Amino acid sequence: MPARPSRRTLLLAAAVALTTTAATACGGGGGSGAGSAGRTTVRIAYQAIPNADLVVKNQRLLEKALPDVDVKWVKFDSGGDVNTAVIAGAVDLGLAGSSPVTKGLSAPLDIPYKVVWIHDLIGDNEALVARAGIGSVKELAGRKVATPFGSTAHYSLLAALAAAGVEPSAVQTVDLQPQDALAAWKRGDIDAAYVWTPTLSELTKDGKVLVTSRELAGQGKPTADLGVVTNAFAAKHPEVVTAWLKAEDAAVAQARTAPDEAARSIGAELGLPAEEAKRQLSQLVLLSAKEQAGPDYLGTPGAPGRLAANLHDAAVFLKGQKAVDSVPDEAVFGRALAVEELGRAAN
């Protein structure tokens, strides 16, 4: 009997199919760092999340800062998909939630990347929504609940069930990306979903919010959208990473001081009116580069911030849910914080 393929092999096979489709949709990808006519290429994974990353994309802040670099933006539906793309060598920088990043830094994935940015602290923009008649998380036992597996929403769903004393096995959890969850909701195929905006806004039109990620953060289960960079790309192209960080920092500043301007860019990327984009933007907590270099977040060289402990705590939780094979030492997460790269941009 042939040997059973490892989970990493299966993920890599899935990644090849996924990234081939993404590259075709984006007009091709090219290898890391190898652009047209010998130009450097950076491939950036992004998601439809109303934060400052979409300002950077829409206003071409990185392209303006690096006119000699080919910048390719590739859209993904979840951090789990971003992980598979990184494993396949299809992206260099990208956005993934804290739960997928925790899994990425744990066995069996052990992805060689590091956290270089906090795109946002997740608040009311991710939530568990149920149909009318379901009044609490406890009442989800025996029901069908959708969420993208491996995402921050999935992590928060498990945390919500644990807090309510509901065994995950008592709930029929289905793996659906946000738009697929919305379609299933409209068909009546699911009873609840844990997703993020803009899909969340559609579900709340006729559903009831049972718990938000902001509330779970208050219970000790915080989540965030993180920026990751592969170790290889960070070592080979530090100037690109610095420029990207400065562009993200500038976009955060704009979101704070000129939210209407930022909202117009976010709305254009998401196909939303600017006022709705502004409302969704307000549900997130955005941090400047200088704030992220503080002890509560990434920290500084020699003094990793509390984000390392948060990721370690998430790994402990995920191990209890059998979502990772083992829990790395907290020092592993500390070494995965790109404090030197962030420090160059924060100064």
Side-chain angles (χ1 to χ4, degrees), residues 317-343:
F317 180 82
L318 291 172
K319 177 65 169 63
Q321 300 296 327
K322 300 180 180 179
V324 298
D325 288 354
S326 61
V327 179
D329 291 338
E330 187 174 320
V332 171
F333 295 106
R335 289 192 294 271
L337 303 184
V339 292
E340 292 184 3
E341 289 84 351
L342 178 62

Side-chain angles (χ1 to χ4, degrees), residues 188-249:
D189 293 344
I190 58 175
D191 301 298
Y194 208 126
V195 292
W196 51 84
T197 53
T199 301
L200 175 62
S201 299
E202 294 298 314
L203 295 181
T204 56
K205 289 179 179 178
D206 58 350
K208 173 184 174 60
V209 174
L210 300 183
V211 67
T212 70
S213 292
R214 186 186 300 276
E215 292 169 327
L216 290 171
Q219 299 171 21
K221 300 297 180 185
T223 50
D225 289 314
L226 304 176
V228 295
V229 60
T230 66
N231 295 346
F233 190 87
K236 189 174 182 180
H237 301 288
E239 75 290 348
V240 176
V241 176
T242 298
W244 179 79
L245 285 168
K246 287 183 177 294
E248 293 289 345
D249 196 36

Side-chain angles (χ1 to χ4, degrees), residues 107-122:
L109 299 185
D110 295 317
I111 299 175
Y113 62 21
K114 48 191 172 181
V115 179
V116 71
W117 186 249
I118 300 174
H119 284 287
D120 57 74
L121 304 178
I122 297 174

